Amino acid sequence: MSFYSQQVPGQQQPPTSSTAGGNDFFYNQGSHGQQQTDSSYQGYTGNNDAGHSQQQQQQQQPSQQQQPMAANSQQWHQQPRQSVLSSAPAPAAASSQPPQPMNLWTPGVQQKAAATFMQVAGNGFSGQSIAGAAEQFGKDFFDEGTAKMIPGFEAAMKRLRVYFGVDNHYVKKKMQRVLFPFLFKQWKRLETESTNPNLAVEYALPYSDENAPDLYIPSMALITYVLLCALCYGTAGQFNPEVLPDVTTKCFVTQLIEVMIMKGCIYSMQTSMDFLDLFSYTGYKYLGLSVNMLVGLAIGYLSSSESSNGHKAYYITFLWTASAISYFVLKTMANNIPRVTAKTGPKREFMVLGFAASQFATCWFVSQTKFLN
């Protein structure tokens, strides 16, 4: 095959004749044809070398151009960063007095801790003395340290502490007074010397006065009543976890509406009475409701399943407890609402009778006797 059949880069291959005559024409040229062929071959190789060197130059040229471009791009990335850093404001100087964490180990707590340790050491580090001292120190630490972390919590605890200052003697006497009020004649609260100049009259704490209101008995009686209602539903095979919040919400909302109405009536008489006092007096009804439910469950369990003796026993007990709590509120309000009220407002006597009657109505409303036998 002749070298003429090879295609030179960049040139088009001329058409060749496939006949023998065409080929003999080139081979019969003699010396002149041979020289022409050699020169053509040399021209072809020269053109190839020139093209190869040109191609190498073109390949080197972009690599040389890429280096300054990479340098320029790196410079361009660095310049905005420097400009941003230079334009960014300087950080504010640290305050000379950084905020200090709340210190719960106050001097008062330190003094009580030292006194507690001396008390335990004086008792010979016995187990009973250590347990009592630890309990007392925990209360002191809560009063002096932890209670100050929440705004307003310390003031709220000091106010509620008055209503939970009870002991066993007070709880027993108060339950007797609520369930059997007809046996008691003294209903006036015990007054003490006022240490607060803003208060004209200051009353004794519950453990010193049987007529003082408290929130311990109402809260415990409410919990007991809710659990007894759940037991009533369970014995009838109708228990549902939603019974607990439903009964609690019904009792609490009913009492809250009752207290707000009583507070409005007292305000209309242009006199005052503490909201928590009213909440305490109206909360003693849960003690009677617990007794009603307990009697109804006991009689229903002892009697046959076909009879409804538990339901009857509940309402027989209800007549006593509802009358007792109504009489209790009547005597309590009569001795706590001032006798001198506004002439234009409602009559004091009618309001006291209305407050007493409301206990009978609310006790019936929050009763849960649907599944009593």
Side-chain angles (χ1 to χ4, degrees):
M1 181 176 168
S2 174
F3 67 89
Y4 289 101
S5 63
Q6 298 179 0
Q7 183 177 359
V8 180
Q11 295 183 2
Q12 233 176 8
Q13 182 179 0
T16 59
S17 176
S18 61
T19 61
N23 291 334
D24 292 342
F25 174 78
F26 290 100
Y27 285 107
N28 292 331
Q29 295 299 325
S31 61
H32 178 71
Q34 184 70 27
Q35 290 176 359
Q36 187 176 0
T37 303
D38 295 339
S39 61
S40 299
Y41 180 77
Q42 290 174 359
Y44 171 73
T45 56
N47 289 337
N48 277 344
D49 295 340
H52 183 65
S53 61
Q54 186 176 2
Q55 189 175 3
Q56 286 181 351
Q57 289 178 3
Q58 289 178 357
Q59 289 177 357
Q60 292 175 1
Q61 206 167 11
S63 63
Q64 291 175 0
Q65 291 177 358
Q66 287 175 1
Q67 292 179 358
M69 288 177 63
N72 290 338
S73 63
Q74 187 176 4
Q75 224 171 17
W76 183 82
H77 284 297
Q78 289 177 355
Q79 283 177 359
R81 188 180 298 177
Q82 292 175 359
S83 61
V84 170
L85 291 175
S86 60
S87 61
S95 58
S96 57
Q97 295 181 354
Q100 298 180 356
M102 183 177 294
N103 184 18
L104 300 179
W105 192 251
T106 59
V109 175
Q110 296 177 10
Q111 293 178 1
K112 291 181 179 180
T116 302
F117 178 78
M118 296 300 296
Q119 180 181 359
V120 173
N123 294 330
F125 294 98
S126 62
Q128 185 177 1
S129 62
I130 292 175
E135 181 181 0
Q136 184 63 34
F137 178 72
K139 294 179 181 179
D140 296 338
F141 180 77
F142 182 81
D143 295 339
E144 296 289 338
T146 309
K148 296 181 180 180
M149 296 178 63
I150 305 175
F153 185 75
E154 185 178 6
M157 291 301 296
K158 287 183 178 179
R159 187 180 181 189
L160 289 175
R161 188 184 303 162
V162 177
Y163 294 92
F164 287 90
V166 300
D167 55 7
N168 294 334
H169 176 76
Y170 169 82
V171 172
K172 183 177 66 174
K173 289 294 184 181
K174 193 70 172 185
M175 292 175 65
Q176 293 175 0
R177 188 175 286 268
V178 171
L179 296 176
F180 306 98
F182 312 103
L183 303 178
F184 296 89
K185 303 297 183 183
Q186 178 63 28
W187 294 93
K188 189 175 181 181
R189 294 187 62 179
L190 181 63
E191 298 181 0
T192 59
E193 295 182 2
S194 177
T195 58
N196 190 351
N198 298 326
L199 296 177
V201 179
E202 190 169 354
Y203 296 102
L205 294 177
Y207 61 81
S208 301
D209 184 14
E210 297 177 5
N211 294 317
D214 72 284
L215 291 175
Y216 175 78
I217 295 178
S219 58
M220 294 297 104
L222 175 60
I223 295 173
T224 304
Y225 177 65
V226 172
L227 294 178
L228 289 174
C229 291
L231 180 62
C232 176
Y233 278 73
T235 54
Q238 302 292 331
F239 178 75
N240 192 332
E242 295 181 358
V243 171
L244 299 175
D246 289 346
V247 176
T248 305
T249 303
K250 183 178 181 180
C251 294
F252 184 78
V253 173
T254 303
Q255 184 183 359
L256 185 62
I257 295 174
E258 180 186 12
V259 171
M260 292 178 66
I261 294 175
M262 294 173 67
K263 186 72 174 176
C265 294
I266 292 174
Y267 180 79
S268 65
M269 292 187 292
Q270 296 185 6
T271 184
S272 63
M273 194 171 183
D274 195 89
F275 182 85
L276 292 179
D277 288 354
L278 292 174
F279 209 82
S280 172
Y281 292 138
T282 57
Y284 290 118
K285 68 168 67 70
Y286 300 122
L287 178 61
L289 290 171
S290 299
V291 173
N292 300 341
M293 186 61 69
L294 185 62
V295 172
L297 288 173
I299 299 299
Y301 179 78
L302 296 175
S303 61
S304 61
S305 58
E306 296 179 357
S307 62
S308 58
N309 294 332
H311 196 272
K312 296 177 182 178
Y314 179 93
Y315 279 106
I316 292 174
T317 312
F318 173 84
L319 292 176
W320 174 265
T321 56
S323 302
I325 187 63
S326 298
Y327 185 80
F328 172 83
V329 172
L330 175 68
K331 301 298 290 185
T332 301
M333 290 297 179
N335 283 271
N336 284 276
I337 296 178
R339 295 184 179 275
V340 179
T341 58
K343 296 181 179 179
T344 57
K347 296 294 183 179
R348 175 180 178 274
E349 291 76 11
F350 293 155
M351 288 294 100
V352 171
L353 289 174
F355 296 158
S358 67
Q359 302 308 302
F360 205 101
T362 53
C363 285
W364 174 84
F365 180 73
V366 298
S367 296
Q368 301 289 328
T369 60
K370 183 178 181 181
F371 296 106
L372 275 175
N373 292 331

